[in-house]
Short mmCIF file of all heavy atoms in Angstrom, two decimals:
data_model
loop_
_atom_site.label_atom_id
_atom_site.label_comp_id
_atom_site.label_asym_id
_atom_site.label_seq_id
_atom_site.Cartn_x
_atom_site.Cartn_y
_atom_site.Cartn_z
N GLY T 1278 13.27 -3.06 -17.29
CA GLY T 1278 13.12 -4.07 -18.33
C GLY T 1278 11.68 -4.47 -18.50
O GLY T 1278 10.82 -4.16 -17.66
N ALA T 1279 11.41 -5.19 -19.57
CA ALA T 1279 10.03 -5.56 -19.91
C ALA T 1279 9.63 -6.92 -19.36
O ALA T 1279 8.50 -7.12 -18.94
CB ALA T 1279 9.85 -5.54 -21.42
N ASP T 1280 10.56 -7.88 -19.38
CA ASP T 1280 10.21 -9.24 -18.96
C ASP T 1280 11.48 -9.97 -18.53
O ASP T 1280 12.54 -9.35 -18.37
CB ASP T 1280 9.51 -10.00 -20.09
CG ASP T 1280 10.28 -9.98 -21.40
OD1 ASP T 1280 11.54 -10.07 -21.35
OD2 ASP T 1280 9.66 -9.87 -22.47
N GLU T 1281 11.37 -11.30 -18.35
CA GLU T 1281 12.48 -12.08 -17.79
C GLU T 1281 13.75 -12.02 -18.64
O GLU T 1281 14.84 -12.27 -18.12
CB GLU T 1281 12.04 -13.53 -17.62
CG GLU T 1281 11.66 -14.23 -18.91
CD GLU T 1281 11.13 -15.63 -18.70
OE1 GLU T 1281 10.80 -15.96 -17.55
OE2 GLU T 1281 11.06 -16.39 -19.68
N THR T 1282 13.63 -11.68 -19.90
CA THR T 1282 14.82 -11.59 -20.75
C THR T 1282 15.70 -10.40 -20.35
O THR T 1282 16.87 -10.34 -20.75
CB THR T 1282 14.44 -11.46 -22.23
OG1 THR T 1282 13.66 -10.28 -22.43
CG2 THR T 1282 13.64 -12.68 -22.69
N ASP T 1283 15.16 -9.47 -19.58
CA ASP T 1283 15.92 -8.30 -19.14
C ASP T 1283 16.44 -8.45 -17.71
O ASP T 1283 17.00 -7.49 -17.16
CB ASP T 1283 15.06 -7.04 -19.23
CG ASP T 1283 14.70 -6.68 -20.67
OD1 ASP T 1283 15.60 -6.77 -21.52
OD2 ASP T 1283 13.54 -6.35 -20.94
N ASN T 1284 16.26 -9.62 -17.09
CA ASN T 1284 16.84 -9.85 -15.77
C ASN T 1284 18.36 -9.88 -15.87
O ASN T 1284 18.92 -10.23 -16.92
CB ASN T 1284 16.33 -11.17 -15.20
CG ASN T 1284 14.82 -11.13 -14.91
OD1 ASN T 1284 14.23 -10.06 -14.80
ND2 ASN T 1284 14.21 -12.30 -14.78
N VAL T 1285 19.01 -9.52 -14.77
CA VAL T 1285 20.47 -9.37 -14.77
C VAL T 1285 21.10 -10.45 -13.89
O VAL T 1285 20.78 -10.57 -12.70
CB VAL T 1285 20.87 -7.98 -14.26
CG1 VAL T 1285 22.40 -7.87 -14.18
CG2 VAL T 1285 20.31 -6.89 -15.17
N GLU T 1286 21.97 -11.25 -14.49
CA GLU T 1286 22.64 -12.30 -13.73
C GLU T 1286 23.66 -11.69 -12.76
O GLU T 1286 24.48 -10.86 -13.14
CB GLU T 1286 23.34 -13.26 -14.68
CG GLU T 1286 24.02 -14.44 -13.98
CD GLU T 1286 24.66 -15.40 -14.96
OE1 GLU T 1286 23.94 -16.00 -15.78
OE2 GLU T 1286 25.91 -15.52 -14.90
N LEU T 1287 23.58 -12.13 -11.50
CA LEU T 1287 24.54 -11.68 -10.48
C LEU T 1287 25.74 -12.62 -10.43
O LEU T 1287 26.88 -12.18 -10.42
CB LEU T 1287 23.86 -11.63 -9.11
CG LEU T 1287 22.83 -10.53 -8.88
CD1 LEU T 1287 22.23 -10.67 -7.49
CD2 LEU T 1287 23.49 -9.15 -9.02
N HIS T 1288 25.48 -13.90 -10.34
CA HIS T 1288 26.57 -14.86 -10.28
C HIS T 1288 26.04 -16.26 -10.53
O HIS T 1288 24.84 -16.52 -10.47
CB HIS T 1288 27.30 -14.81 -8.93
CG HIS T 1288 26.40 -15.04 -7.76
ND1 HIS T 1288 25.91 -14.03 -6.99
CD2 HIS T 1288 25.89 -16.18 -7.22
CE1 HIS T 1288 25.14 -14.51 -6.03
NE2 HIS T 1288 25.12 -15.82 -6.14
N LYS T 1289 26.97 -17.17 -10.78
CA LYS T 1289 26.67 -18.60 -10.91
C LYS T 1289 27.47 -19.36 -9.87
O LYS T 1289 28.54 -18.92 -9.45
CB LYS T 1289 27.01 -19.11 -12.32
CG LYS T 1289 26.06 -18.66 -13.42
CD LYS T 1289 26.49 -19.24 -14.76
CE LYS T 1289 25.52 -18.86 -15.86
NZ LYS T 1289 25.96 -19.33 -17.19
N TRP T 1290 26.94 -20.52 -9.49
CA TRP T 1290 27.67 -21.41 -8.58
C TRP T 1290 27.60 -22.81 -9.15
O TRP T 1290 26.54 -23.27 -9.58
CB TRP T 1290 27.05 -21.38 -7.18
CG TRP T 1290 27.81 -22.23 -6.19
CD1 TRP T 1290 28.81 -21.82 -5.37
CD2 TRP T 1290 27.62 -23.63 -5.95
NE1 TRP T 1290 29.27 -22.88 -4.62
CE2 TRP T 1290 28.56 -24.01 -4.97
CE3 TRP T 1290 26.76 -24.60 -6.48
CZ2 TRP T 1290 28.65 -25.31 -4.49
CZ3 TRP T 1290 26.86 -25.91 -6.01
CH2 TRP T 1290 27.80 -26.25 -5.03
N GLY T 1291 28.73 -23.48 -9.12
CA GLY T 1291 28.78 -24.87 -9.58
C GLY T 1291 28.89 -24.97 -11.09
O GLY T 1291 28.55 -24.05 -11.83
N THR T 1292 29.36 -26.09 -11.52
CA THR T 1292 29.51 -26.37 -12.96
C THR T 1292 28.55 -27.48 -13.35
O THR T 1292 28.61 -28.57 -12.76
CB THR T 1292 30.94 -26.80 -13.29
OG1 THR T 1292 31.85 -25.77 -12.89
CG2 THR T 1292 31.09 -27.05 -14.78
N PRO T 1293 27.66 -27.23 -14.30
CA PRO T 1293 26.75 -28.30 -14.74
C PRO T 1293 27.55 -29.55 -15.13
O PRO T 1293 28.58 -29.46 -15.80
CB PRO T 1293 26.03 -27.68 -15.93
CG PRO T 1293 26.02 -26.21 -15.63
CD PRO T 1293 27.35 -25.95 -14.97
N ARG T 1294 27.04 -30.66 -14.70
CA ARG T 1294 27.71 -31.94 -14.92
C ARG T 1294 27.72 -32.31 -16.40
O ARG T 1294 26.76 -32.08 -17.12
CB ARG T 1294 26.98 -33.00 -14.10
CG ARG T 1294 27.45 -34.42 -14.28
CD ARG T 1294 26.57 -35.35 -13.46
NE ARG T 1294 26.66 -36.73 -13.90
CZ ARG T 1294 25.76 -37.65 -13.57
NH1 ARG T 1294 24.73 -37.35 -12.81
NH2 ARG T 1294 25.91 -38.90 -14.02
N SER T 1295 28.83 -32.89 -16.83
CA SER T 1295 28.92 -33.44 -18.18
C SER T 1295 28.49 -34.90 -18.14
O SER T 1295 29.04 -35.70 -17.36
CB SER T 1295 30.35 -33.33 -18.71
OG SER T 1295 30.72 -31.98 -18.87
N PHE T 1296 27.53 -35.26 -18.94
CA PHE T 1296 27.01 -36.63 -18.99
C PHE T 1296 27.59 -37.36 -20.20
O PHE T 1296 27.78 -36.75 -21.27
CB PHE T 1296 25.48 -36.62 -19.09
CG PHE T 1296 24.78 -36.10 -17.88
CD1 PHE T 1296 24.59 -34.73 -17.70
CD2 PHE T 1296 24.30 -36.96 -16.90
CE1 PHE T 1296 23.93 -34.24 -16.59
CE2 PHE T 1296 23.64 -36.48 -15.78
CZ PHE T 1296 23.45 -35.12 -15.62
N ASP T 1297 27.84 -38.66 -20.05
CA ASP T 1297 28.26 -39.47 -21.20
C ASP T 1297 27.05 -40.16 -21.83
O ASP T 1297 27.19 -41.14 -22.56
CB ASP T 1297 29.34 -40.48 -20.80
CG ASP T 1297 28.90 -41.38 -19.66
OD1 ASP T 1297 27.70 -41.32 -19.28
OD2 ASP T 1297 29.74 -42.14 -19.15
N PHE T 1298 25.86 -39.67 -21.48
CA PHE T 1298 24.61 -40.12 -22.09
C PHE T 1298 23.69 -38.90 -22.12
O PHE T 1298 23.98 -37.88 -21.49
CB PHE T 1298 23.97 -41.25 -21.28
CG PHE T 1298 23.65 -40.87 -19.85
CD1 PHE T 1298 22.39 -40.38 -19.50
CD2 PHE T 1298 24.61 -40.98 -18.85
CE1 PHE T 1298 22.10 -40.02 -18.19
CE2 PHE T 1298 24.32 -40.62 -17.54
CZ PHE T 1298 23.06 -40.14 -17.20
N LYS T 1299 22.60 -38.98 -22.84
CA LYS T 1299 21.68 -37.86 -22.92
C LYS T 1299 20.79 -37.84 -21.67
O LYS T 1299 19.99 -38.76 -21.47
CB LYS T 1299 20.81 -37.95 -24.18
CG LYS T 1299 19.82 -36.80 -24.32
CD LYS T 1299 19.05 -36.88 -25.63
CE LYS T 1299 17.96 -35.82 -25.69
NZ LYS T 1299 18.46 -34.46 -25.41
N PRO T 1300 20.92 -36.80 -20.84
CA PRO T 1300 20.09 -36.74 -19.64
C PRO T 1300 18.62 -36.51 -20.00
O PRO T 1300 18.32 -35.88 -21.01
CB PRO T 1300 20.66 -35.56 -18.86
CG PRO T 1300 21.33 -34.71 -19.88
CD PRO T 1300 21.83 -35.64 -20.94
#
Side-chain angles (χ1 to χ4, degrees):
D1280 53 38
E1281 62 184 15
T1282 60
D1283 294 317
N1284 294 341
V1285 176
E1286 183 178 297
L1287 289 178
H1288 56 260
K1289 287 181 178 176
W1290 183 92
T1292 302
R1294 175 183 161 197
S1295 294
F1296 293 84
D1297 56 8
F1298 60 93
K1299 180 176 174 52

